[in-house]
Amino acid sequence: QGRLVESGGGSVQAGGSLRLACAAGGYPFSEYFSRYCMAWFRQSAGKEREGVVSISAGGESTRYADSVKGRFTISRDNAKNTLYLQMHSLDPTDTAMYYCAAVRCGPGIPSLVEAVYPYWGQGTQVTVSS
């Protein structure tokens, strides 16, 4: 069964950086990871989960939320079945549980709509202190 496992979260001071990873395992990812669009979502306490950034199967197309443009970079290594999120200039407003998600790619730039994604990881906590 397909599974997504996030890692790399932690506590950092404002202005700092973190790199999250999401390892995809089990079927279908073990055979078809490179056919899946991936995304990072986050959820802060008391707020709804929001889309942060998505990436196409080959990594050529991305979609960023305005709040993270210029600070966060998504990437993927299809040989390792792994998704990454490099975060710079972190702010306390970035504090949240971060989730990776996967969906079989369709046409166009991958969505940041939560309902589109059937596969989810358990999340990794990012805490930014001022």
Side-chain angles (χ1 to χ4, degrees):
Q1 186 173 354
R3 61 189 181 275
L4 301 172
V5 180
E6 301 94 336
S7 61
S11 297
V12 64
Q13 291 203 330
S17 300
L18 281 174
R19 188 192 195 204
L20 307 184
C22 171
Y27 186 86
F29 302 124
S30 56
E31 296 185 35
Y32 302 113
F33 179 74
S34 62
R35 300 184 185 183
Y36 278 75
C37 290
M38 305 293 294
W40 288 99
F41 288 78
R42 65 185 182 186
Q43 187 169 20
S44 305
K47 296 185 178 181
E48 293 187 354
R49 191 152 52 184
E50 63 173 347
V52 176
V53 58
S54 61
I55 188 168
S56 59
E60 66 279 2
S61 297
T62 56
R63 185 192 300 269
Y64 287 86
D66 288 343
S67 58
V68 305
K69 283 180 180 177
R71 301 188 300 122
F72 291 11
T73 302
I74 192 172
S75 62
R76 63 190 295 164
D77 185 338
N78 285 345
K80 296 181 178 179
N81 290 0
T82 303
L83 175 74
Y84 301 99
L85 181 65
Q86 179 68 56
M87 304 185 293
H88 294 299
S89 302
L90 283 163
D91 185 87
T93 57
D94 295 315
T95 294
M97 185 72 79
Y98 283 72
Y99 301 89
C100 67
V103 63
R104 187 72 179 253
C105 283
I109 300 174
S111 169
L112 283 178
V113 175
E114 179 180 355
V116 167
Y117 292 83
Y119 295 96
W120 291 84
Q122 294 300 305
T124 186
Q125 178 68 37
V126 172
T127 302
V128 185
S129 58
S130 57

